[in-house]
Amino acid sequence: VLERLLPGNEVIELEEPEVAGGLGYRFAKRVFDVCLCGAALIVLAVPMGIIALKIRIDSPGPVIYAQRRVGLGGREFDVYKFRSMYIDAEKGGAQWATDEDPRVTPFGRWMRNYRVDEIPQFWNVVKGDMSLIGPRPERPAFCNAFERRIHGWHWRTKVRPGLSGLAQVSGGYDLLPAEKIVFDFEYMRNRSLRMDVRLILRTFGVLGTGSGAK
């Protein structure tokens, strides 16, 4: 993973970013997250049931997939997704998603194209593991690998990770880690409620095109 995502032998040294957003912003952001995601879980209850049934028909295995991610302050948590891969997809260990990934089920590919597999993460937002907008949380194995070549990668965890973010609407999975962290730090330095709302609207635009999905 490291050789493909971080080509060459260059080591990148990052400066610790100043994080914008005071107590008032953080309180308003949290209230907005809980209200919007709580309402979404109620409204989407029936569609989620249909999706769950389709997953069970498409391939054997559980409907919901839990995966460890690194969150605020480096704390690990389980992120929830609708299962989009076959149950033995990672028997060889953690792997980075690729175009036309053979581990993905037919219905799982459709879900990934339109980020439908991410819907259960509304519960992560309600719980407080995540926010609607922030740096996308990575898996511990990838964080450790990236930190060896991108010194300062861990500073992404100074803010709560997001369901979507500036990096996701600016390239998503097409961005290499060294490119993604530039957008993450830019968000951290300039975040505001206005910026969050703008990124939510841009996320809807990405959902309509399937851009950057894997």
Side-chain angles (χ1 to χ4, degrees):
V1 171
L2 192 60
E3 292 179 356
R4 180 162 57 85
L5 298 178
L6 298 172
N9 297 312
E10 180 183 5
V11 173
I12 301 172
E13 298 285 349
L14 299 175
E15 292 186 8
E16 183 175 359
E18 291 288 337
V19 178
L23 182 60
Y25 162 75
R26 295 196 301 273
F27 176 77
K29 180 180 177 72
R30 180 66 184 143
V31 170
F32 182 76
D33 282 345
V34 172
C35 291
L36 192 60
C37 289
L41 287 170
I42 295 172
V43 171
L44 296 174
V46 173
M48 288 171 68
I50 296 172
I51 291 168
L53 180 60
K54 177 61 178 174
I55 292 171
R56 293 299 298 269
I57 294 173
D58 195 44
S59 66
V63 170
I64 299 294
Y65 175 62
Q67 190 178 75
R68 298 297 284 177
R69 297 291 177 101
V70 179
L72 181 65
R75 181 181 64 85
E76 294 186 15
F77 68 98
D78 286 327
V79 70
Y80 302 112
K81 294 185 176 188
F82 281 125
R83 182 177 57 82
S84 60
M85 291 186 175
Y86 296 104
I87 56 174
D88 61 349
E90 294 199 322
K91 59 184 179 182
Q95 299 179 47
W96 194 264
T98 61
D99 293 323
E100 304 301 325
D101 199 319
R103 300 172 298 159
V104 179
T105 67
F107 184 61
R109 189 163 305 284
W110 176 84
M111 287 196 296
R112 284 176 168 235
N113 283 342
Y114 297 100
R115 309 303 202 279
V116 172
D117 59 319
E118 312 281 2
I119 290 176
Q121 287 166 51
F122 286 141
W123 178 239
N124 283 115
V125 175
V126 172
K127 285 177 58 185
D129 298 324
M130 298 173 63
S131 175
L132 275 169
I133 299 297
R136 188 71 181 150
E138 292 289 358
R139 302 174 69 172
F142 293 151
C143 286
N144 292 335
F146 296 158
E147 184 68 36
R148 290 197 294 270
R149 292 277 297 280
I150 304 176
H151 296 173
W153 176 269
H154 65 281
W155 283 322
R156 299 169 77 251
T157 64
K158 292 179 67 174
V159 300
R160 202 184 308 269
L163 183 58
S164 182
L166 182 59
Q168 279 60 53
V169 301
S170 303
Y173 282 107
D174 293 332
L175 296 175
L176 294 175
E179 298 169 324
K180 182 180 296 185
I181 200 165
V182 172
F183 289 106
D184 289 338
F185 279 16
E186 180 181 345
Y187 170 75
M188 292 166 66
R189 293 186 182 102
N190 299 285
R191 65 180 189 157
S192 65
L193 286 178
R194 182 176 182 179
M195 185 178 191
D196 288 346
V197 171
R198 188 168 68 247
L199 290 174
I200 289 172
L201 295 176
R202 288 181 63 185
T203 298
F204 282 120
V206 172
L207 294 177
T209 63
S211 174
K214 289 187 181 179

